[in-house]
């Protein structure tokens, strides 16, 4: 209804957003490498040169960034589990270097998964993104993923766990992408693919996927759900082949659980290696 006051964000979601903003501000002061080392959890995983490993170890091995390089970002979309222990954020990123391309930015769209630590703080446990042809637009301010039909714990206990849901999707992706994703998307789902602007909404996603080839392989490597069982994330490996060219890498997915216990995709990212 016009003029309605937006529902206030849960405290845990606000804390996660503020942690992301502090992270972004810190990166402008000490550089992205040191800021990443500060804000990533010790057990955060990363993907580098086709290998999976502890993200902080991978980051530490990177050379120090040039002094004139800035990564500028702001959390604009995401969600938090009802238990307040696990959530994700989506943010447009500008990579700016005064001595490169006349100072013109390069654009990215990143997704970060955050987990509450024993001391009560939030740290990044997964961070994955895509390059985009231009700046990614979002609604003003921060938007929480729609919360209709949210899982509350009252469901048929024969519903498959998150890892099984991810594996079933992967099996179908070896046949047909659009067919595989169709029953698994939330209405507001986001599909992130390299060199493509984010595709938002189940209908637009299915239209785009209709022209995409089936995966030649897709395998679940990890899954984790919040204590409340209403939100989680998975990651794994994939390969595709289009126009005679093979491509492989990693995927990361965030999932929301509906009241009937079914897991649905909120966000899906491919990161080629």
């Amino acid at each position: 209804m016009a003029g309605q006051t937006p529902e206030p964000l849960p405290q845990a979601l606000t804390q996660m957003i503020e942690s992301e903003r502090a992270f972004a501000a810190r990166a402008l002061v000490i550089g992205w490498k040191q800021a990443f080392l500060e804000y990533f959890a010790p057990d955060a995983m990363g993907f580098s040169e086709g290998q999976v490993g502890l993200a902080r170890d991978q980051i530490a091995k990177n050379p120090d960034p040039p002094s004139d390089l800035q990564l500028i970002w702001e959390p604009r979309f995401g969600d938090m589990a009802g238990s307040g222990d696990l959530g994700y954020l989506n943010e447009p990123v500008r990579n700016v270097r005064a001595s490169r391309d006349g100072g013109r930015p390069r654009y990215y769209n990143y997704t970060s998964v955050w987990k509450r630590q024993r001391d009560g703080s939030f740290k990044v446990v997964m961070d994955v993104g895509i390059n985009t042809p231009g700046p990614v637009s979002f609604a003003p301010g921060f938007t929480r993923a729609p919360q209709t039909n949210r899982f509350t714990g009252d469901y048929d206990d024969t519903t498959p766990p998150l890892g099984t849901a991810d594996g079933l999707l992967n099996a179908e992706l070896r046949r047909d992408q659009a067919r595989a994703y169709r029953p698994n998307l939330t209405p507001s789902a986001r599909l992130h693919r390299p060199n493509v602007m984010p595709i938002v909404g189940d209908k637009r996603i299915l239209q785009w996927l209709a022209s995409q080839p089936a995966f030649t392989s897709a395998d679940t490597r990890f899954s984790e759900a919040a204590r409340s069982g209403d939100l989680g994330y998975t990651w794994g490996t994939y390969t595709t082949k289009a126009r005679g060219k093979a491509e492989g890498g990693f995927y990361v997915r965030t999932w929301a659980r509906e009241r009937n216990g079914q897991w649905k995709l909120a966000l899906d990212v491919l990161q080629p290696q």
Side-chain angles (χ1 to χ4, degrees):
M1 180 182 296
Q4 259 188 337
T5 302
E7 185 177 345
L9 298 176
Q11 182 178 0
L13 178 54
T14 298
Q15 183 184 354
M16 181 176 66
I17 294 167
E18 290 175 348
S19 297
E20 180 80 85
R21 288 174 176 157
F23 178 17
R26 186 72 170 148
L28 292 177
V29 175
I30 63 174
W32 68 262
K33 179 179 176 179
Q34 292 303 317
F36 276 45
L37 291 172
E38 286 185 12
Y39 279 86
F40 275 49
D43 58 348
M45 302 303 292
F47 313 129
S48 178
E49 299 180 352
Q51 301 296 316
V52 181
L54 292 174
R56 284 167 57 166
D57 289 348
Q58 294 175 346
I59 294 165
K61 292 177 183 177
N62 285 327
D64 291 339
S67 59
D68 64 341
L69 174 65
Q70 292 185 321
L71 295 183
I72 303 166
W73 74 90
E74 168 78 12
R76 304 298 297 276
F77 181 86
D79 200 5
M80 170 60 65
S83 49
D85 59 326
L86 188 71
Y88 70 92
L89 293 168
N90 190 234
E91 51 265 348
V93 180
R94 284 184 294 143
N95 179 320
V96 181
R97 187 177 178 188
S99 60
R100 183 192 64 202
D101 301 332
R104 290 190 299 274
R106 295 177 181 178
Y107 297 99
Y108 303 84
N109 194 194
Y110 265 75
T111 299
S112 53
V113 180
W114 294 72
K115 188 175 179 180
R116 190 182 293 278
Q117 306 298 293
R118 290 186 177 182
D119 64 1
S121 67
F122 277 99
K123 296 287 187 181
V124 175
V125 293
M126 177 59 67
D127 188 58
V128 62
I130 57 167
N131 57 314
T132 58
V136 180
S137 62
F138 286 84
F142 181 85
T143 301
R144 187 182 186 187
Q147 295 301 300
T148 57
N149 198 31
R150 191 180 184 109
F151 175 77
T152 59
D154 183 13
Y155 71 102
D156 182 348
D157 60 10
T158 62
T159 302
L162 177 56
T164 301
D166 194 71
L168 291 171
L169 171 60
N170 284 337
E172 290 299 319
L173 284 171
R174 299 184 188 102
R175 299 182 179 93
D176 181 281
Q177 283 205 57
R179 178 179 174 182
Y181 278 105
R182 183 172 289 108
N184 289 294
L185 296 170
T186 62
S188 60
R190 298 181 65 91
L191 194 76
H192 292 184
R193 297 294 185 261
N195 305 308
V196 176
M197 297 299 282
I199 306 164
V200 182
D202 55 350
K203 293 180 177 59
R204 289 188 61 210
I205 289 172
L206 293 173
Q207 289 173 354
W208 188 81
L209 288 173
S211 63
Q212 301 303 304
F215 284 32
T216 52
S217 71
D219 297 289
T220 307
R221 298 284 298 276
F222 180 83
S223 65
E224 183 176 15
R227 291 195 307 270
S228 49
D230 59 340
L231 187 144
Y233 76 104
T234 59
W235 64 262
T237 58
Y238 77 94
T239 57
T240 62
K241 191 171 184 179
R243 295 178 293 278
K245 183 180 179 182
E247 176 188 283
F250 299 92
Y251 69 80
V252 175
R253 299 169 182 150
T254 65
W255 298 76
R257 205 175 194 181
E258 295 185 335
R259 189 169 292 123
N260 64 3
Q262 298 296 317
W263 288 100
K264 299 288 186 179
L265 272 172
L267 195 147
D268 185 293
V269 187
L270 293 188
Q271 183 171 296
Q273 293 288 301

